[in-house]
Amino acid sequence: MTKYEFLEKMRHALANDLSGPIIQENVNYYDSYINDEVRQGRSEESVIDELGDPWAIARTIIESAGGGSAQEEYTYEPRRQTYGQEQQERGRVRVYGWQSWCKRLILALGILGVLMLAVAVVGGIFSLLAPIIIPFLIILFVLRLLGGRRR
């Protein structure tokens, strides 16, 4: 995939969910990132392969922008890997947003709340019916014992 194809797929993936300036900002960011890596001696194809699927990147951008925070932080952190005597630098793009951990926390609290509500409802039903059901079961048990001796 070429840089042009990558950027067009990303632009198309972002088009339905984000405004024009935000789309252009992200496309410009990845364009300059690819250009910087190519200037450092890497091939355009290897940079694009490392970035991965533009649709997946777009989904991450949309999710991070979805919480109403227009200011997102994009950083490029190089990672060094040693191969014998040579060192090669590989980049990794990270998107930081508060939405991902916040959504997980809200989901966990929601599930915990539903479980607590279910336990409270079952416990309430049991506490209401126990004074009626327990004596009834004891009477049935006694009648069964007495009925079994007559035969």
Side-chain angles (χ1 to χ4, degrees):
M1 176 183 320
T2 66
K3 177 178 80 168
Y4 177 77
E5 291 171 334
F6 179 87
L7 296 175
E8 282 304 308
K9 285 183 181 182
M10 177 171 285
R11 182 176 281 120
H12 182 69
L14 295 171
N16 291 332
D17 297 306
L18 298 176
S19 65
I22 295 174
I23 294 170
Q24 193 58 45
E25 177 186 339
N26 284 288
V27 169
N28 289 344
Y29 173 82
Y30 282 98
D31 184 34
S32 68
Y33 170 78
I34 294 169
N35 289 337
D36 289 345
E37 291 296 310
V38 169
R39 269 187 247 131
Q40 291 178 6
R42 297 183 58 200
S43 71
E44 183 177 288
E45 184 177 330
S46 70
V47 174
I48 292 171
D49 286 344
E50 181 181 290
L51 285 172
D53 186 20
W55 292 92
I57 295 171
R59 181 58 34 208
T60 303
I61 293 169
I62 291 167
E63 286 175 359
S64 67
S69 170
Q71 294 284 341
E72 294 296 328
E73 180 182 341
Y74 301 101
T75 62
Y76 168 71
E77 296 180 9
R79 177 178 60 181
R80 299 194 183 271
Q81 294 181 344
T82 304
Y83 298 104
Q85 298 291 336
E86 300 175 8
Q87 284 190 345
Q88 292 184 352
E89 204 174 89
R90 297 184 69 195
R92 173 186 249 176
V93 177
R94 295 187 181 179
V95 178
Y96 295 100
W98 68 272
Q99 291 86 5
S100 61
W101 68 265
C102 183
K103 286 180 183 177
R104 290 180 187 152
L105 178 64
I106 290 171
L107 178 65
L109 290 175
I111 291 171
L112 183 64
V114 168
L115 289 174
M116 290 176 64
L117 181 64
V119 168
V121 168
V122 170
I125 292 171
F126 183 74
S127 67
L128 288 174
L129 296 178
I132 298 168
I133 293 176
I134 292 176
F136 180 72
L137 290 175
I138 291 172
I139 292 170
L140 281 178
F141 182 70
V142 169
L143 289 176
R144 180 110 187 189
L145 284 176
L146 293 176
R149 289 187 180 171
R150 290 185 182 173
R151 293 183 182 173

